[in-house]
Amino acid sequence: MTKPSIVDVPTATDGPANAIDVTDSRTGQTHKLPITDGAIRAADLKKIKTADEDDPGLLSYDPAFLNTASCRSSITFIDGDKGILRYRGYPIEQLAESSSFLEVAWLLRKGELPNQQEYDQFVHDITYHTYVHENMRKFLEGFRYDAHPMAMLNSSVAALASFYPRSRNIFDERERDISIIRLLAKVPTIAAFCYRHLKGLPFVYPDNGLSYVDNFLSMVARMTEPRYEANPIFSRALEVLFILHADHEQNCSTSAVRAVGSSHVDPFSAMSAGIAALFGPLHGGANEQVLRMIEEIGHVKNVPQFIEGVKGGKGKLMGFGHRVYKSYDPRATIVKELADEVFKVVGVDRDLEIALELERIALSDDYFKSRKLYPNVDFYTGLIYRSMAFPTEFFTVLFAIARTAGWLSQWEEMLLDKEQKIARPRQVYTGYDERAYRRQIKL
Ligand code: ACO
C-alpha cells in the first residue's frame, strides 16, 4: 500500500492547528481542510477528487440545511441546547422586559442600542411614513372578501416595489434607509387594512399621535371614537410579542429573504418572499394551526386520544418542536407568562385548559421527550391573540409585522457581506442519463 499523501486545501484559517485531516478511502489521500469558527468550507470539499478527470469533486449533501451555515451573521445568537436567544448580544428576556419594538428594530439593524436623539429621529421617521398610496387601498379592495390576510399582505408588500422604483438602488445607503423605514412603517398599515377587509369594515388611517403598537391597534379596532385608546395590557403584550418575533437568525423565511435578495432585487420583493415562507404551517403559520388543532380536539378529555394519534403518525402536535431549540424555546417561556397577564384582563381562554393538558401530557411522554419536542413560541401566542379578539387567520400577519425588522436587517447584512454571491445551491442529479426524444402524443 502506498503511503497516503497530504493534499492541502488552502483557505484562510485561524491557524494550522485549526484543520481537519480527511482521508479519502477511494484514493488513500489525506486532505487537510481548514476550520474557521467551527466550520469547514463546503467549497474546499470540491478539491477532493478521484483520479477520474471528469470527477467534479466532492459535494456536501444537506437537504433542508440541517448542518450547513449559509452566512456569517452578527445579528442573532441562538444556543438551541441551552435555550438561549440574544439579539446583538442582549438576552431576549431583558429586551422583552425593558425595550420597545422600535428600539429592538434599530438594534437589530445597527448593532448597537440607539441614543435618545437617534431613537427619537427613528420613531419620527417611522411615524411619518405610515401612510400608503391610495392606489394600494384600491389594490387591497380587489381581493375577495374571504382572502387569507397573509396572501393579501404578501402581494401588497411585493406591490410596494412598483411605487418605489428607486428602491432598486440597493447599494445606495440612503435608498436602503428609506426602504427599510417605509417597510417598517407601512407593513402595520397594510396589515391593518387586510384585517379591516377581512371584517368588511372601512379602513382606518394611521394616527401619527400614537405609538407604533397603539397606532396599529387603532387601525385594527377603531370604530367611531375620535381617538382609539388601546388597553395598556394588550398594547404591552403586543409590544413584547413583536420583540420576541423580531428576528430568529437563519430560519426558513429569513433564508428566503436572503436567497431572493442575493439576486439584488429590491427589498420589497425580497421581503415578500419572506412573508410567503412565513405563511407555511411548519413556520409562522403554526400559530394559526395550533388554534385549529385545539378546536379540533374540542375538549380536554379528548387530549390523550389526540396525543396517541400524533404518536401513531396522524399529524403533528402543532406548536411543538423546533429545528434549533432542543431543550426549550426561551420565547415560549416569556409568552406563557404574558398569556397569564392577558388572561387576568380578559378571563381565561376557553381552550387554555386543552393547551395546558396537551403540554402536560406531551412533556411527560417518551415520544416527545426522546425527540426533544418542547412547546415553541407559537404554542401560546395563538391563545393570546385570540383573547385580544384577533381572528385566527390573522395571527401569522402579526408575526410578519414583527419579523420585518429581522428580515431587513438580515437582508442588509447579506448585501454588505463581501463574501456573499447570488444564492445558488448545487444538486445531486438522480434523473435519466441522456436519451433520445420520441414523441408519444399527436401535436
Ligand atoms: N409533533 C409530533 N412529532 C414531531 C413534531 C411535532 N410537532 N415535530 C417533530 N416531530 C417528530 C418527527 O416526526 C420526527 O420523528 P421521527 O424521528 O420518528 O421521524 C422527529 O420528531 C424529528 O422531527 P423533524 O421533522 O426531523 O424536525 P425538524 O427540525 O425538521 O422540524 C419543525 C422542525 C418543522 C418545527 C417540526 O418540529 C414541526 O413540524 N413542528 C410543528 C409545526 C410548528 O410548530 N412549527 C413552528 C416552528 S417555530 C417557528 O417557525 C416560528
Side-chain angles (χ1 to χ4, degrees):
M1 204 173 122
T2 51
K3 199 169 166 242
S5 62
I6 303 249
V7 179
D8 267 334
V9 182
T11 315
T13 76
D14 297 342
N18 284 313
I20 186 168
D21 290 344
V22 176
T23 301
D24 185 344
S25 52
R26 300 169 303 174
T27 60
Q29 286 187 324
T30 297
H31 302 263
K32 196 174 271 306
L33 304 184
I35 299 174
T36 307
D37 295 331
I40 61 160
R41 285 182 181 260
D44 285 348
L45 298 174
K46 199 172 162 55
K47 294 159 191 164
I48 303 180
K49 294 183 179 189
T50 57
D52 181 350
E53 60 181 29
D54 289 337
D55 183 352
L58 202 63
L59 273 182
S60 68
Y61 174 59
D62 190 9
F65 299 106
L66 290 180
N67 195 35
T68 296
S70 60
C71 63
R72 301 168 73 84
S73 180
S74 57
I75 300 176
T76 290
F77 172 79
I78 299 176
D79 182 328
D81 292 323
K82 296 198 184 111
I84 293 173
L85 168 61
R86 297 183 200 128
Y87 296 158
R88 299 286 189 181
Y90 295 104
I92 192 66
E93 294 79 5
Q94 292 178 21
L95 294 169
E97 174 81 28
S98 313
S99 187
S100 75
F101 172 67
L102 286 185
E103 188 188 28
V104 165
W106 172 283
L107 170 71
L108 286 170
R109 180 174 177 215
K110 305 276 186 177
E112 296 298 336
L113 291 167
N115 62 33
Q116 191 65 52
Q117 194 194 349
E118 288 167 335
Y119 182 68
D120 292 345
Q121 184 65 48
F122 185 53
V123 172
H124 175 274
D125 291 345
I126 301 281
T127 307
Y128 285 89
H129 283 89
T130 47
Y131 272 65
V132 292
H133 195 287
E134 277 296 287
N135 287 0
M136 185 54 83
R137 179 199 175 101
K138 290 186 199 136
F139 179 78
L140 285 163
E141 281 167 357
F143 283 97
R144 282 178 62 84
Y145 69 96
D146 58 352
H148 196 290
M150 277 299 275
M152 294 173 72
L153 181 71
N154 182 11
S155 24
S156 308
V157 168
L160 282 180
S162 68
F163 293 85
Y164 305 109
R166 282 171 54 184
S167 67
R168 297 172 72 186
N169 299 328
I170 53 172
F171 291 107
D172 179 335
E173 194 180 347
R174 280 166 312 171
E175 287 301 332
R176 282 202 308 277
D177 270 347
I178 186 67
S179 292
I180 290 173
I181 284 167
R182 282 185 176 130
L183 275 162
L184 284 166
K186 293 181 201 305
V187 165
T189 310
I190 296 171
F193 284 8
C194 295
Y195 173 92
R196 303 289 290 203
H197 180 82
L198 188 72
K199 293 281 178 187
L201 291 167
F203 295 167
V204 175
Y205 283 78
D207 179 341
N208 287 352
L210 295 175
S211 73
Y212 190 79
V213 168
D214 284 357
N215 173 48
F216 172 64
L217 287 171
S218 161
M219 292 187 288
V220 162
R222 194 170 128 207
M223 297 305 285
T224 54
E225 61 274 45
R227 169 162 278 184
Y228 181 77
E229 280 190 28
N231 180 323
I233 301 281
F234 285 3
S235 179
R236 184 62 200 156
L238 204 54
E239 185 102 43
V240 173
L241 288 167
F242 280 0
I243 292 171
L244 298 183
H245 286 91
D247 193 48
H248 212 229
E249 53 121 299
Q250 307 313 315
N251 54 82
C252 178
S253 56
T254 302
S255 300
V257 171
R258 278 181 172 260
V260 172
S262 77
S263 73
H264 292 176
V265 74
D266 68 88
F268 300 95
S269 305
M271 198 180 117
S272 78
I275 299 174
L278 195 73
F279 194 2
L282 297 188
H283 190 15
N287 51 18
E288 180 179 341
Q289 297 307 321
V290 169
L291 260 259
R292 299 209 186 286
M293 172 187 75
I294 288 178
E295 276 160 18
E296 188 192 316
I297 295 171
H299 193 278
V300 73
K301 70 175 177 355
N302 301 330
V303 170
Q305 191 192 348
F306 180 82
I307 294 271
E308 284 312 308
V310 168
K311 285 161 62 179
K314 276 200 225 147
K316 282 186 170 170
L317 180 50
M318 300 310 285
F320 260 68
H322 198 276
R323 172 61 60 78
V324 182
Y325 293 121
K326 298 299 174 195
S327 64
Y328 68 95
D329 180 340
R331 301 167 301 172
T333 313
I334 301 171
V335 169
K336 204 171 168 189
E337 285 166 16
L338 205 59
D340 290 339
E341 296 288 306
V342 173
F343 295 157
K344 270 187 213 149
V345 180
V346 291
V348 173
D349 185 279
R350 65 173 192 268
D351 289 335
L352 180 66
E353 210 189 340
I354 299 178
L356 288 173
E357 186 63 357
L358 277 170
E359 190 186 23
R360 190 187 68 76
I361 297 189
L363 291 181
S364 58
D365 190 297
D366 261 358
Y367 175 93
F368 296 91
K369 282 203 287 188
S370 63
R371 288 169 177 77
K372 300 187 173 177
L373 301 172
Y374 296 89
N376 59 49
V377 68
D378 285 328
F379 191 66
Y380 281 104
T381 48
L383 292 175
I384 302 184
Y385 292 145
R386 192 177 61 187
S387 62
M388 291 168 76
F390 285 112
T392 310
E393 55 270 59
F394 198 67
F395 297 170
T396 316
V397 173
L398 297 166
F399 191 156
I401 296 173
R403 188 53 62 86
T404 302
W407 285 329
L408 294 170
S409 305
Q410 299 268 356
W411 167 74
E412 190 174 44
E413 185 180 60
M414 179 273 304
L415 282 184
L416 301 180
D417 180 347
K418 296 216 163 22
E419 262 200 313
Q420 289 292 338
K421 291 168 178 277
I422 187 164
R424 202 323 185 167
R426 303 294 303 275
Q427 65 168 11
V428 175
Y429 178 68
T430 59
Y432 288 108
D433 210 345
E434 183 177 327
R435 52 184 179 155
Y437 171 70
R438 297 219 201 305
R439 197 187 303 135
Q440 311 280 323
I441 51 163
K442 277 196 185 145
L443 295 178

